[in-house]
Amino acid sequence: MAVKVSIVTPSYNQAHFLEETIHSVLSQDYSNLEYILVDGGSTDGSLEIIQRYANRLAWWVSESDRGQTDAINKGFAHARGEVLAWLNSDDTYLPGAITQAVAFLQAHPEASLVYGDANLVDEHGNILGSFPARQTDLRRMLRGSVHIPQQASFFRGELWPKVGPLDPEFYFAMDYELWLRLAKQGELIYTPQRWANFRLHQGGKTQLSDDRCYPEMIRAARRLTGHPPVALIFRWYLRR
């Protein structure tokens, strides 16, 4: 039997994109899929969209929370998959993404996480370019060379008790901190297979994140190593 894959979608007032995200997950060609949707008490019609798909969701909730990170943790607390991922409610999977990711993890037992390529798309789904994904590792990430599109990343569920939960105090860099933790458990492996669409729009966190993300990354790196990440700090000042 195919391994179980759990996908969590955190959402808050993203009704404009939410149904497309849901459909991109539920239309995957992978059979043993557990889909969990955690809504933060949206007031924009998201609840009605979720309810239309409720019978195809493994678990869902719509209630106030502490934000995206808290919602992801809440979803993973209900996940039973051997492979885990989250897909934000304005992003989408491409056809075959989950099947290909599972096959890659099965072929690479040394990997704690696998990630592929992602398109950058606008609010209408028009392709703007590609996320600059490439191979990285713990040493390079501590220097600021991340290059992992979160939308196209999948990791082993057995590692969640060791690396989770995400820190709810992080608003921008919770995925970076998770990748640092996973890199201590096994390899992070890039494969040039296109798995997701990463949406850029005015309401998205990415449009606001650069100068506020780096301080969180620095804090995450320092927490992991116990000393200031000099190269990462220098990179931040250069960008500023």
Side-chain angles (χ1 to χ4, degrees):
M1 184 177 179
V3 302
K4 183 183 289 294
V5 176
S6 299
I7 307 297
V8 172
T9 289
S11 186
Y12 180 67
N13 284 343
Q14 292 278 13
H16 184 66
F17 305 115
L18 179 58
E19 190 157 22
E20 186 179 357
T21 298
I22 292 173
H23 184 263
S24 80
V25 177
L26 295 179
S27 64
Q28 290 287 308
D29 63 357
Y30 193 79
S31 59
N32 198 4
L33 177 62
E34 176 183 71
Y35 190 27
I36 294 167
L37 206 151
V38 186
D39 179 75
S42 294
T43 58
D44 66 342
S46 293
L47 181 58
E48 289 76 14
I49 294 172
I50 296 167
Q51 288 172 332
R52 288 205 295 269
Y53 293 91
N55 65 336
R56 301 183 64 186
L57 302 177
W59 185 79
W60 70 274
V61 69
S62 182
E63 63 186 16
S64 296
D65 55 37
R66 297 174 60 190
Q68 181 187 21
T69 308
D70 184 37
I72 294 166
N73 284 336
K74 193 183 298 185
F76 282 149
H78 289 267
R80 299 296 177 264
E82 296 160 83
V83 174
L84 302 180
W86 80 82
L87 184 70
N88 295 324
S89 54
D90 49 1
D91 300 325
T92 55
Y93 284 138
L94 293 173
I98 294 175
T99 296
Q100 293 167 24
V102 170
F104 194 92
L105 281 169
Q106 290 179 320
H108 294 271
E110 73 278 14
S112 61
L113 174 141
V114 60
Y115 59 101
D117 286 313
N119 296 317
L120 302 177
V121 303
D122 66 15
E123 60 182 321
H124 305 294
N126 300 312
I127 296 177
L128 304 172
S130 294
F131 185 98
R134 62 175 181 261
Q135 183 60 50
T136 192
D137 55 26
L138 180 59
R139 179 185 62 83
R140 282 179 277 191
M141 282 199 298
L142 289 171
R143 296 176 62 87
S145 181
V146 183
H147 300 293
I148 302 174
Q150 175 274 314
Q151 301 77 6
S153 65
F154 299 80
F155 65 97
R156 297 192 188 278
E158 66 192 49
L159 297 177
W160 180 247
K162 300 177 182 179
V163 301
L166 305 178
D167 186 342
E169 298 303 317
F170 285 164
Y171 181 69
F172 292 106
M174 71 285 196
D175 48 5
Y176 173 75
E177 186 186 31
L178 176 64
W179 297 330
L180 292 181
R181 297 179 192 177
L182 285 167
K184 295 196 74 174
Q185 300 294 325
E187 295 184 30
L188 314 180
I189 303 183
Y190 165 65
T191 176
Q193 300 179 77
R194 198 160 297 272
W195 289 341
N197 291 317
F198 179 5
R199 197 183 304 271
L200 303 178
H201 60 97
Q202 288 302 311
K205 283 171 58 175
T206 305
Q207 300 297 99
L208 310 169
S209 67
D210 189 63
D211 202 47
R212 283 176 278 179
C213 185
Y214 264 88
E216 290 190 4
M217 291 172 64
I218 291 166
R219 181 153 53 98
R222 182 167 189 163
R223 177 184 293 175
L224 185 81
T225 64
H227 56 76
V230 176
L232 186 57
I233 293 170
F234 183 66
R235 188 185 186 109
W236 179 42
Y237 279 108
L238 282 179
R239 289 178 69 92
R240 296 179 73 187

